[in-house]
């Protein structure tokens, strides 16, 4: 279920090299959430760049954050 009514969360899914499922995480800050970039570091921390559009993007109703997820899928920080 979405955290906010009528929102669209960004979903992250983690699989191993054999395509075995590990976990799923959702980033939902209301509005429409789009994954714009994804990378990891040597420790397995996931850096996801996510854009949240709460109204019309033409009127500036959006924000972009980098969300840091632990290797286990916990949201640790937003920048």
């Amino acid at each position: 279920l979405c955290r906010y009514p009528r929102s669209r969360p960004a979903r992250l899914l983690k699989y191993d090299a054999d395509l075995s499922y590990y976990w799923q995480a959702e980033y939902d800050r209301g509005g429409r959430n789009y994954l714009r970039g994804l990378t990891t570091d040597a420790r397995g921390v996931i850096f996801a760049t996510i854009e949240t559009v709460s109204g019309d993007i033409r009127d500036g109703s959006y924000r972009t954050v980098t969300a840091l997820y632990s290797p286990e899928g916990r949201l640790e920080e937003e920048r």
Side-chain angles (χ1 to χ4, degrees), residues 23-62:
W23 52 258
Q24 174 181 326
E26 288 189 350
Y27 185 90
D28 191 0
R29 296 298 183 258
R32 298 175 310 278
N33 301 272
Y34 301 101
L35 182 63
R36 297 296 189 202
L38 189 68
T39 192
T40 60
D41 68 8
R43 297 169 295 155
V45 175
I46 298 165
F47 299 82
T49 303
I50 301 170
E51 181 179 71
T52 299
V53 180
S54 55
D56 187 337
I57 197 166
R58 292 172 289 189
D59 67 12
S61 302
Y62 68 95

